[in-house]
Amino acid sequence: MNSEFKHVAIIMDGNGRWATQRFRPRVWGHVRGSAVVSDIVQAADDLGVGALTLYAFSTENWRRPNEEVSVLFKLLHKFLLKERARLIANQVSFKVIGDTTRLSPATKKLIADLEAETANFNGLKLTFCFSYGSRMELVRAVNRFMEENPGKELKEEDLDHFLMRPETGDVDLLIRTGGEQRVSNFLLWQIAYAELCFTPTKWPDFTVSEFQRILQSVGQRERRFGGLSPKAVTTENKQAQAIHV
Ligand code: IPE
Ligand code: IPE
Ligand code: MG
């Protein structure tokens, strides 16, 4: 299958509640959730998705207890160690976006090495959003534009160019697991015309087959981008002639 969605973004939510329902600590949900990440990355690649952007840790998630934050950081490190070889073998181009300054030097090095090694790959563009917030990204983009172009007026294309991973472009499909219907400061600019899909499935229970079903069913939706569907245009042209305004 060659997915119609060039860019899919996922808010991987519901880990904590998944664990709590099972009388386990919230961090257990993160551990189980990180295994799902590997499956979905592989599936996106197999299904011909061009770019996959995953929300792993938000700027607001710093409000959580230190213990939980530190588990999430360790899971990122483990994921990189575990998946490195497979990402390279599959020609996946990998990047982390967000404020990574507070990651450990060892994790920063793993990220930098993997980013450098995969930068010119032509496969799936995989982006991990870590300590990421869309407002932060937008403010940074505007500031960088102003630094480089003093006195010049900002255009939409300029802003696109200064985003943290401009080559992935607009989001075609945004999926949020875990049942909440909100965007929680994720890719606010890039989702302007995205199709939205909210599933009650909590992230540790999310499967490749649900992912496939979502791509298939959302793929049936008609995207109009403010225009009209070709069928509506033909009918409308005929009917409009009869109306004198
Ligand atoms: C998503 O799961 C992972 C992160 C936000 C880091 P949550 O930890 O938000 O899980 P819930 O929403 O509390 O169930
Ligand atoms: C969004 O989930 C962030 C990630 C999935 C990484 P949250 O659980 O932090 O969002 P809210 O607090 O429910 O809006
Ligand atoms: Mg949550």
Side-chain angles (χ1 to χ4, degrees), residues 45-228:
D45 200 8
D46 295 343
L47 295 166
V49 168
L52 178 69
T53 303
L54 300 173
Y55 205 7
F57 189 85
S58 73
T59 42
E60 290 74 26
N61 288 149
W62 284 106
R63 296 176 186 149
R64 298 193 180 191
N66 288 339
E67 296 71 28
E68 183 170 340
V69 171
S70 111
V71 167
L72 288 163
F73 277 43
K74 282 188 195 142
L75 286 171
L76 172 68
H77 191 91
K78 278 191 147 182
F79 177 88
L80 296 170
L81 286 177
K82 187 170 134 255
E83 295 298 322
R84 189 181 166 277
R86 188 157 65 130
L87 296 177
I88 291 171
N90 290 344
Q91 299 273 300
V92 171
S93 150
F94 178 78
K95 193 166 166 61
V96 175
I97 63 170
D99 174 13
T100 51
T101 49
R102 285 156 87 176
L103 290 173
S104 75
T107 308
K108 278 193 228 168
K109 179 161 173 15
L110 263 183
I111 293 171
D113 289 349
L114 193 55
E115 284 181 348
E117 224 167 334
T118 66
N120 296 319
F121 284 171
N122 291 322
L124 174 74
K125 289 183 179 63
L126 175 64
T127 309
F128 258 52
C129 302
F130 210 89
S131 193
Y132 168 89
S134 182
R135 287 181 169 179
M136 174 195 76
E137 180 184 33
L138 291 170
V139 169
R140 174 185 172 275
V142 173
N143 281 330
R144 295 210 166 175
F145 171 83
M146 290 192 306
E147 258 166 48
E148 287 185 24
N149 304 280
K152 204 178 145 207
E153 190 186 330
L154 178 73
K155 303 224 170 43
E156 288 190 14
E157 320 77 86
D158 297 323
L159 191 62
D160 284 336
H161 175 74
F162 282 93
L163 294 175
M164 288 173 160
R165 198 163 195 199
E167 67 275 23
T168 52
D170 282 351
V171 172
D172 297 300
L173 167 62
L174 171 68
I175 300 171
R176 181 174 187 143
T177 62
E180 310 294 1
Q181 303 196 6
R182 52 181 173 251
V183 290
S184 304
N185 199 14
F186 189 42
L187 305 173
L188 302 176
W189 177 264
Q190 297 90 327
I191 62 171
Y193 265 101
E195 294 298 324
L196 306 180
C197 174
F198 299 101
T199 168
T201 308
K202 295 178 183 69
W203 180 253
D205 282 334
F206 194 65
T207 57
V208 169
S209 62
E210 180 167 5
F211 184 49
Q212 268 174 310
R213 278 201 304 279
I214 290 173
L215 292 184
Q216 174 112 78
S217 85
V218 180
Q220 314 285 318
R221 295 187 198 165
E222 185 182 52
R223 302 183 71 193
R224 293 191 288 276
F225 299 96
L228 296 178

Side-chain angles (χ1 to χ4, degrees), residues 13-14 17 64:
D13 193 27
R17 280 165 289 156
R64 298 193 180 191

